[in-house]
Amino acid sequence: MKDLRLTDFLETIDGKLLQGNPDDHIRKMVRRHNSLSEHCLYFHTSKKALKAESLAGKSGYTIVTEDKENLPKVSETANVILVENAKDSYWRFIDYYRNQFQIPVIGVTGTCGKTTTKDMIKHILKRSMKVHSTLYSQNGLHLNLNYLMGLTEQTEAAVFEMGVAYPGNIRVSGKYFKPTVGIITNIGEAHLEGCRTMENYIKAKGEMLEVLADDGTLIINADDANIKSLPIALYKGTVLSFGKDETADFQIVDIQFEQNKMIYRLRVEHNEYKVTIPGAGEHNVYNSLAAIAATAAIGIPIEEAVQRLSTFQNMERHTKLYYGDNITVIDDTWSCNPSSVMSGLEVLKKMSNGMKEVLVLGRMQRLGNQERMQHIQMGQRLMDIGGVDQLITVGPSARITGKRAIELGMNPAKVHSVMNAEELEAKLAEIRDEEMMILFKMSLGKMSPSYRRVVDKYRFT
């Protein structure tokens, strides 16, 4: 966090210093009063009164509160600021702190590819800039404050994931981050447990248009039908698109699948670039396009972005291929939703080259009351692309996909239902054959560690 004095923002939050020194410094902001320590700032927005015992032994901190009547005795070295509305003052402070940084801030949302796109952008930028970003796929709203406070005097650019579990999430994240560049990678079926309907989920992703700076840049997937349904024309800033569509500003001309890498030609206006990215899958090509477009929007030459992406390393369990003597494993077990299942299947189909195709499918996550229907539809989609040689479903939800595949003509002897890791391991051993490619498509973070051991066993066979 940038070092601040109380006097720097006291007027901004409309605060009155009841006790303390206006020249005291703030070096950290905390969400909970029990985390207070010297030079920490805490906004007491709860309706519950502060308890004296929770402040015992603490000194040198600053509390902002609207509850003057119930304020307990505090340390003589503490600063107490009285405001009329603590929540309003909190957001005024957030706005004030974000405005201390006149830097490019890139916000990334989408059903799939957020983390990879964010990491690609950071990889491109970090060679020449000091970059701050969200960590891994950790994009929950409760983390926003810490991420914002991670901006310092040295930060030259920031890249933040902006996830959606419920409508309004991006509006809240937007208040913290105020992106100058916004990316929507794609919009597929996900998080229906919070958004209830696909229409609500699409609108929730579209909140990016509301929070993006009017003079900023919106970057969208030109091939995504759900993104096309958003009121893009209402956005006042620059709009850039990427994809195969001929109208795309960053257009894919040709894609080649090679072992552990993707090669494609990128056309921008009248120029073409040969791009090589580590990893497998057309979805990663789209992620890289979004990253190139975003970094170009803030001044990185396309040639440099392309060169830097050639050394990018994808995250673990994001469509990573592992080659053994006779078995190839695609580990795509970071998360599991309909869009990512289809992306994984595309890799399986493109890379199998005559090997026996095996899909291990777990429950698709966060679909709410749409879960059963989405698993039925996945059976249809699987058969539409020609099915696989062996389908192993894990758990009762995924079993629905297997039943639908059988109804549509898949050989029942090639469809297997397992309910635990031991059964999965036994079934894989039973069907094991030479020249076999296995796609593990589950969310290991939601499953017992025993499943991870099965996947890892085959990864390193």
Side-chain angles (χ1 to χ4, degrees):
M1 179 179 177
K2 180 179 180 180
D3 193 303
L4 300 173
R5 294 184 307 158
L6 296 186
T7 190
D8 292 336
F9 59 87
L10 200 58
E11 183 177 349
T12 299
I13 66 172
D14 197 20
K16 178 182 178 181
L17 189 64
L18 297 182
Q19 172 185 313
N21 182 356
D23 289 323
D24 274 0
H25 288 252
I26 298 298
R27 296 181 183 135
K28 185 177 181 181
M29 188 174 174
V30 296
R31 294 178 62 246
R32 297 180 177 86
H33 60 275
N34 55 12
S35 300
L36 279 168
S37 60
E38 194 171 8
H39 299 298
C40 281
L41 172 64
Y42 168 68
F43 281 79
H44 180 56
T45 58
S46 171
K47 295 300 181 183
K48 295 180 180 180
L50 283 167
K51 296 181 180 180
E53 56 267 28
S54 64
L55 300 175
K58 302 178 184 295
S59 62
Y61 53 82
T62 298
I63 290 177
V64 179
T65 182
E66 63 186 59
D67 190 11
K68 181 181 179 182
E69 301 300 323
N70 298 309
L71 188 68
K73 184 177 181 181
V74 298
S75 166
E76 294 180 358
T77 63
N79 301 297
V80 179
I81 299 173
L82 181 66
V83 295
E84 185 173 337
N85 186 306
K87 286 185 177 179
D88 180 64
S89 294
Y90 171 85
W91 285 114
R92 289 189 187 192
F93 178 81
I94 292 298
D95 187 68
Y96 167 82
Y97 189 79
R98 170 62 184 87
N99 288 339
Q100 300 302 299
F101 304 92
Q102 304 305 310
I103 60 173
V105 173
I106 302 171
V108 185
T109 195
T111 301
C112 299
K114 293 186 296 297
T115 301
T116 300
T117 301
K118 177 259 298 180
D119 286 347
M120 284 179 167
I121 293 169
K122 185 175 181 180
H123 185 78
I124 293 169
L125 296 179
K126 69 180 182 181
R127 187 176 297 182
S128 56
M129 305 174 76
K130 179 71 173 178
V131 186
H132 176 55
S133 73
T134 45
L135 295 173
Y136 307 111
S137 297
Q138 298 173 12
N139 56 32
L141 293 185
H142 66 286
L143 300 170
N144 284 354
L145 179 62
N146 287 341
Y147 286 136
L148 179 69
M149 294 299 126
L151 298 174
T152 69
E153 291 91 339
Q154 289 74 43
T155 306
E156 297 174 287
V159 193
F160 297 124
E161 274 191 50
M162 300 170 69
V164 167
Y166 297 91
N169 282 174
I170 288 182
R171 288 194 189 100
V172 174
S173 294
K175 286 185 178 182
Y176 284 94
F177 303 139
K178 291 188 176 183
T180 60
V181 176
I183 300 172
I184 307 178
T185 60
N186 47 60
I187 305 178
E189 299 89 347
H191 293 289
L192 299 182
E193 62 183 2
C195 293
R196 302 295 182 185
T197 68
M198 192 63 194
E199 182 182 8
N200 288 341
Y201 180 63
I202 293 169
K203 288 179 179 179
K205 288 296 185 184
E207 291 170 16
M208 178 65 80
L209 279 67
E210 302 174 29
V211 303
L212 191 58
D214 286 344
D215 59 351
T217 301
L218 174 66
I219 299 172
I220 57 173
N221 185 334
D223 301 333
D224 190 288
N226 290 324
I227 291 177
K228 290 178 181 179
S229 71
L230 294 174
I232 304 296
L234 297 180
Y235 178 61
K236 298 177 182 178
T238 301
V239 178
L240 297 175
S241 60
F242 61 90
K244 295 179 180 178
D245 193 289
E246 291 183 356
T247 65
D249 298 292
F250 291 75
Q251 184 189 6
I252 308 167
V253 180
D254 177 54
I255 301 176
Q256 299 174 32
F257 283 68
E258 296 196 8
Q259 184 168 319
N260 283 328
K261 64 183 176 181
M262 304 292 295
I263 300 173
Y264 67 96
R265 286 186 296 131
L266 165 62
R267 180 177 294 158
V268 183
E269 295 179 337
H270 301 295
N271 300 311
E272 281 197 7
Y273 309 86
K274 181 181 178 181
V275 186
T276 301
I277 55 171
E282 193 170 287
H283 59 286
N284 267 335
V285 170
Y286 279 82
N287 295 335
S288 67
L289 280 172
I292 293 169
T295 53
I298 64 174
I300 301 296
I302 294 174
E303 297 91 338
E304 289 188 27
V306 168
Q307 190 277 325
R308 294 176 189 181
L309 273 178
S310 66
T311 61
F312 175 75
Q313 294 298 315
N314 207 353
M315 284 180 62
E316 282 290 301
R317 306 192 187 277
H318 281 64
T319 326
K320 292 199 73 170
L321 273 70
Y322 297 85
Y323 296 90
D325 292 335
N326 299 308
I327 296 179
T328 300
V329 167
I330 306 170
D331 183 355
D332 196 15
T333 55
W334 186 264
S335 64
C336 189
N337 59 52
S339 297
S340 67
V341 172
M342 293 308 298
S343 294
L345 281 169
E346 179 212 24
V347 176
L348 178 66
K349 289 292 183 181
K350 293 281 189 179
M351 304 294 288
S352 58
N353 295 322
M355 290 186 284
K356 177 187 288 185
E357 297 172 352
V358 179
L359 169 61
V360 178
L361 177 67
R363 174 192 172 209
M364 295 187 292
Q365 306 287 325
R366 299 175 178 173
L367 295 173
N369 60 13
Q370 293 293 310
E371 185 175 302
R372 177 179 174 81
M373 180 55 64
Q374 289 296 329
H375 274 284
I376 291 173
Q377 291 179 1
M378 184 53 63
Q380 176 75 60
R381 296 167 81 176
L382 175 62
M383 297 306 290
D384 286 345
I385 62 171
V388 290
D389 295 306
Q390 298 280 348
L391 170 62
I392 303 175
T393 63
V394 181
S397 293
R399 181 168 55 188
I400 298 169
T401 296
K403 290 178 66 176
R404 182 57 176 159
I406 292 171
E407 291 171 358
L408 294 171
M410 189 167 178
N411 185 347
K414 304 295 185 182
V415 179
H416 318 279
S417 173
V418 301
M419 292 296 151
N420 55 55
E422 291 73 22
E423 291 181 9
L424 173 60
E425 186 170 15
K427 183 56 65 177
L428 284 169
E430 177 186 323
I431 67 172
R432 183 167 178 167
D433 197 359
E434 292 185 358
E435 300 301 307
M436 185 167 73
M437 178 172 277
I438 308 171
L439 167 61
F440 287 101
K441 192 60 196 141
M442 305 178 286
S443 179
L444 285 185
K446 302 291 184 180
M447 305 174 81
S448 70
S450 55
Y451 285 102
R452 185 185 298 266
R453 288 194 293 271
V454 176
V455 176
D456 288 348
K457 173 183 176 180
Y458 278 84
R459 276 181 20 169
F460 302 115
T461 295

